[in-house]
Amino acid sequence: MTEEIYDICVIGGGINGVGIARDASGRGYKTLLLEQKDLASATSSKSTKLIHGGLRYLENYDFKLVRESLLERDRLYRMAPHIIWPLTFILPHEKSIRPFWLIRLGLYLYDFLSLSSKRAPLKFSKSTHLPNGQKAIQYQDLWVEDSRLVILNVKSARDMGATIKTYEAVQSTLWQKDHWVVQTEKSTYHARFLVNAAGPWVYRVLEQNNLRTEQTPSVRLVQGSHIIVDRLYPDNHCFILQQSDKRIVFSIPYEENYTLVGTTEIEIAGADQKIAITEQEKKYLLNIINHFFKQSLTDQDIRFDYAGVRPLWDDGESSKKQSARQVTRDYKFIEGPNILSVFGGKITTYRVLAEQALHKIDNLNIPKTGQKFYAGAWTDSKPLAGGDFPPDQKDRLILDFKSRFPFFSDRSCRRLVTAYGTDAFLMFDRGTGHDLGEEITTAEIDYLIKQEWAKTAEDILERRSKLCYHLSDQTKARIKNYMEQQKL
Ligand SMILES: Cc1cc2nc3c(=O)[nH]c(=O)nc-3n(C[C@H](O)[C@H](O)[C@H](O)COP(=O)(O)OP(=O)(O)OC[C@H]3O[C@@H](n4cnc5c(N)ncnc54)[C@H](O)[C@@H]3O)c2cc1C
């Protein structure tokens, strides 16, 4: 039997790995994606969920990164308007931290850097006041359902021929004659080129396989945590709370009933330790809320929390910098013979990161043995799954969905169209199946198993959706039972 040889094997099903797998499949590379757990199970579901230029990076003079991110902001909005939408930010002025003129100037610059012919219809910044008379500045960026952005990219890669394997950790990679032999816990694969997009584990993958060279930068692992509390205020805007330690903390209306507060920044030694919010981080965030919103919340008021790790590449300058806050969020590729490793990055820049990775790979003349859909760079204007509608037509789509599937309440219609966009219509083409409770139907669960690689109830409740924050324990148990019956 001749063994199947993939053109590219991507290690890591976070946003960077799946972005590269999608772009590569479109260009005709026969692509394999290997993820050790669930898609988006690491950093890419633990972010603050903003598609933003990164206002605070201006303070580090990271103008290139801000400009690139702002251009990506416009592109991503058009690619997936169901899971991405505008969010208004209010930045209260704190006299003792930064002068008002400096912040105003920063936002003029931010507006200026965002100028382009295809700018998303976001409002420019303006000065305003809080109800207590405090000066503030208002501006807009975008919100993204981070884990769904990952899934949509994988669907697109699969539709163009990529093979996707989840819950399959890469254990070793060995170059043999003219290709890599990639050993996972379940199988052996062969590929001509490797992409190491293992996020916080990028360094470990290189080290374990003796692929580290002098050029390999070190990574600084910085944990960021969020807490979720009951809704703190009725308005739909996000507050940016500046702190005297120069950090900023976001408070964002979240999942209707909650407020998401984050993020902290603490350096950790390795991504193998349990990644979880510390008591100290909880206290830090609670203090900030209590001070700004004049509340007296305690640990008991934290409904949920999550933590993620940023793999920031150490650009040499970084080690001289004192705080993780100042380390660049830009990305870097490290190339070795037949391997490319991704260091750093942001959700916001994943598409352009993938495009640049593919530009490098294209120059290596690796054979393209898959079906070729596009000749070169192609991802900047093609919608992601379910996103093939104009951004201002989402409410119209929800109404259409409601008239087609009157069985669902208005709330469910909004949830389904927000998660799946136009694909929500396909999901129920052959009926809704039966209701597992709270309008979660077997048709939806079947779809998530067959079309979105869901293998456990947690995959569905935490990453294909955010239903974990809404459903009763009974409904969650019924979903779990139903999935167990499917013998996945
Ligand atoms: C707290 C926090 C807030 C953030 N907020 C924002 C934000 O608002 N906006 C923004 O643009 N960016 C934000 N970021 C940055 C962004 O989340 C990350 O840059 C991005 O998610 C990194 O994606 P990744 O694919 O590189 O890594 P990951 O998402 O971590 O993916 C790497 C994957 O590789 C897999 N893997 C590792 N080893 C193996 C192996 N041996 N075999 C198979 N698979 C393996 C892992 O399981 C993992 O799924 C934030 C980051 C943090 C931590």
Side-chain angles (χ1 to χ4, degrees), residues 11-17 34-52 168-171 197-201 204-205 208 222-226 263-264 306-311 342 344-349:
I11 304 175
I15 192 66
N16 289 328
L34 296 169
E35 164 53 49
Q36 65 182 355
K37 291 189 177 153
D38 184 26
L39 298 164
S41 54
T43 323
S44 299
S45 59
K46 307 290 191 305
S47 79
T48 312
K49 307 173 202 312
L50 304 177
I51 302 277
H52 62 156
E168 218 177 308
V170 172
Q171 293 177 325
W201 297 272
R204 192 177 71 180
V205 167
Q208 273 180 351
V222 180
Q223 170 168 309
S225 299
H226 293 79
T263 175
T264 51
Y306 65 85
V309 175
R310 285 176 203 271
V342 179
K346 295 167 66 185
I347 301 253
T348 308
T349 48

Side-chain angles (χ1 to χ4, degrees), residues 271-404:
D272 285 334
Q273 68 188 68
K274 187 166 167 8
I275 297 165
I277 187 168
T278 61
E279 289 308 311
Q280 195 193 350
E281 290 179 285
K282 284 186 192 169
K283 210 164 152 203
Y284 178 80
L285 294 174
L286 284 170
N287 278 342
I288 290 167
I289 301 179
N290 287 340
H291 175 73
F292 185 76
F293 294 103
K294 312 256 177 301
Q295 297 270 343
S296 44
L297 303 189
T298 68
D299 254 20
Q300 309 297 315
D301 298 298
I302 299 177
R303 300 275 178 206
F304 309 93
D305 57 65
Y306 65 85
V309 175
R310 285 176 203 271
L312 303 177
W313 65 276
D314 199 333
D315 57 2
E317 286 299 299
S318 305
S319 44
K320 291 179 220 145
K321 291 175 184 162
Q322 298 198 334
S323 76
R325 183 179 53 81
Q326 290 169 289
V327 181
T328 182
R329 265 56 174 163
D330 212 345
Y331 51 84
K332 188 172 179 63
F333 300 120
I334 297 296
E335 293 165 86
N338 307 298
I339 180 168
L340 178 140
S341 298
V342 179
F343 285 76
K346 295 167 66 185
I347 301 253
T348 308
T349 48
Y350 89 91
R351 190 209 63 84
V352 63
L353 177 154
E355 193 172 87
Q356 289 177 9
L358 263 298
H359 181 66
K360 287 184 181 296
I361 296 170
D362 274 352
N363 286 336
L364 300 173
N365 294 322
I366 295 158
K368 294 178 178 171
T369 65
Q371 189 182 344
K372 190 168 170 182
F373 293 83
Y374 304 100
W378 64 276
T379 54
D380 75 338
S381 55
K382 298 284 176 298
L384 288 162
D388 49 345
F389 65 94
D392 60 355
Q393 292 298 305
K394 184 164 159 187
D395 286 341
R396 172 82 258 155
L397 202 65
I398 295 170
L399 287 176
D400 288 353
F401 184 82
K402 173 82 186 161
S403 63
R404 180 101 177 265

Side-chain angles (χ1 to χ4, degrees), residues 95-110:
K95 234 190 258 170
S96 59
I97 299 176
R98 291 175 186 90
F100 191 75
W101 66 263
L102 184 66
I103 298 184
R104 195 69 204 86
L105 192 69
L107 272 148
Y108 279 135
L109 183 58
Y110 198 68

